[in-house]
Every structure is written in C-alpha cells, then in structure tokens.
Amino acid sequence: MAVHMRNLPELHPTNLNVAKLICLLMSAAALLGGCVVAPPPPPRVYAPPPTYYAPPPPPPQPAYAEPAVAVEVQAAQPPPPLPQYVQPPCPEDGYLWTPGYWAYANGGYYWVPGTWVVPPRVGFLWTPGYWGFVGGFYGFHAGYWGPTVGFYGGVNYGFGYAGVGFVGGHWAGNSFAYNTAVVNVNTTVVHNTYVNNTVVNNTTINRVSYNGGAGGVAATPTPQERAAMQETHIPPTVMQRQHVQQAISNPQLAASANGGHPPIAATPRPGAFNGPGVVGAKGAPPRIPVATYPAPGAHGNTNTGAVVPGAARPPAGYPAASGTAHPPGTGKPVVVPAVKSPPAHPEPAEKRHENEGKEGK
C-alpha cells in the first residue's frame, strides 16, 4: 500500500528538527531546575595566629637536698682538725661505730668522743654529721640513721668512714658483719667478721674536719648519696643525745682546754667516760676522772647520777688528792690533815652518845 508523505508529518525533516530542539530545551530546563547556585564566598581577611606565652622555667634546684633539720648550729670559725686516736674494741655483737666530731656550744668547740652504739633498727647504718661552709658561716649538718650511708661532707673520719660510704661492715640479714681490716673487733667476743683489705688501700689520709671554705674538703654528693638523702631517716638515739650532752658538760673536752687533743677521744659505749676502754687522742693531756654522784637510790640518794659540770677540774690552789700540796708562792709541801668521812649509814642516837663518851675518856 502506498503511503503518502503528507500522512506522516512526524517524519518530515523540519518537524524532526523542531522535536529535537524541544527535547533539548526541556532537558536543559530540567538540569537547570535541579541545580542550586551557591553564593560567592566572603572575601578572605588574614589574621595572625593567637600568641601563647610559655611560663618561665622553674628556678634551678640546688645540687643536693639536705635532710630535715640538717643544720643544728652555726659558727664563725672552722672546727679544729680531727684528733688522732685508736678505736676501742666493739663491746659486743650488734654495736655500730659512730665517729667522734667537734660540737659547738658556749662559744667554743667541744669534742664528742667516738663510740659504739646500738642502732635503732636492724638494717640501718649511721651517716655521720659534718661541718659545711655556707653563706659565710660553718654550719653543722646533723647525722642520722638510714638504710644507706648518705653524704657527710667527704670528711675522712676513719674506721670505715673514709669520706664516701662506709666500708667497716655490712648487714647480713639480721646480723652485722664486721670488716676486721677496718674496725677494731675482738673476735673472741664478736664472731661474725670478715677481712677485706682492698677497701682501705686508696684512701687519702688527712685530718680536715669540715667541707667547703678555705682549707675545707672539696666534695659534692654522689648520685647514690643524693638518693640516700630521700630515704627514711631516724635521728640520733636517746643514748647518743645523752652522750653529746655529757661531752659538752666536760671541761676537759673543750678545744680551748685540750688544744685540739681531747683526753677522752673515744669510748666503748655512749656516756662511758670513765673506766676501761676509754682512749685519749695522741698528744692529749692526762685525763682527769669525771666526778659523778652515786647511782640513784644508793643509800637514799636521789641524784640522777649526771656529770657535775666543772667537777673534773679542782679549783686553783686546792690540795692534791695525795694529802700534800705546794701552796702558791712556796716551794715547800704542806701536810693536809685527812678528813674522816662520815659513815654511809648514820648511827643510832644512843650508840652515837655511847661512842662520844668513850672518846671523851
């Protein structure tokens, strides 16, 4: 069947182009209708970042920290050199050596004798006190007990305390082992001992008794000594404090009296200034026995037995104990009549009258 062109207008080339154009316009409209045009961005304005100021660095810390209540007393002059003396033997197992040192009281230096002490706790060691020059003065840094020996100014006190640490022994469990190459131990009394000579061969011997200042020991704490300062510490025991007070009350131990050579340089136990075991310093004057009262309760006596200050030195011109003396200005001895001591226990009144009657006859 024949088909005329006029019956198919959609196939006409002109109509076909128009249809394509309409489709393109509709597609473009759909595309434009689905798009959202964003507003233009605001103009950029440059602003510098905020400035943050770091806090200032902390002030520099001291090279080491002293233990609490370290400086007990200050003096304008340095202490005398350490005296030379031998160490008394350890009295019994468990005692530890505490070196002697110069204390300051009543405007002068006094020697506190070295002595053997029972430690306050098993495993603790003694760190000796020392004098140090700070701020134009010499201050005494107190000794203390602790698990490790700390800084004691580098002062060579001897007998295991050569300036750093302690080589006179060590704790072995609950017992203390003594190095007999360094400390004086009677092996018939103390059996827990050993010998180590290598720890004492490279020690410089001197008698300087203070740290810093003119002529003082130039020593600073080691890392181990700094760590020891932060450990648990125990102050001197009651016996040690009484030992110090007894030394200060004894005029023989004043440096002004003994010229730096104390007649009581070391004792076997704290406060035992009389009797066997007491040693004097090299070149010390003769030791005068320290006068004490009888023990408390003896024959009704209520005295505490404390040392009488000044009793060790008789007054000038006082007769000698032997019964003869040389009065001042004469070269002749005079006989001092003996004084009859009163009886220890008073006699009853009747007995006393009876004896007086016999003496009268």
Side-chain angles (χ1 to χ4, degrees), residues 149-180:
V149 176
F151 182 66
Y152 52 93
V155 177
N156 183 5
Y157 288 106
F159 312 115
Y161 290 98
V164 177
F166 177 65
V167 294
H170 63 269
W171 285 97
N174 292 332
S175 300
F176 191 81
Y178 300 86
N179 181 8
T180 56

Side-chain angles (χ1 to χ4, degrees), residues 36-86:
V36 178
V37 179
R44 293 184 179 181
V45 179
Y46 174 78
T51 302
Y52 296 98
Y53 294 96
Q61 298 297 320
Y64 59 95
E66 296 290 350
V69 196
V71 178
E72 287 187 339
V73 66
Q74 289 184 341
Q77 300 296 327
L82 295 173
Q84 294 178 314
Y85 59 94
V86 296

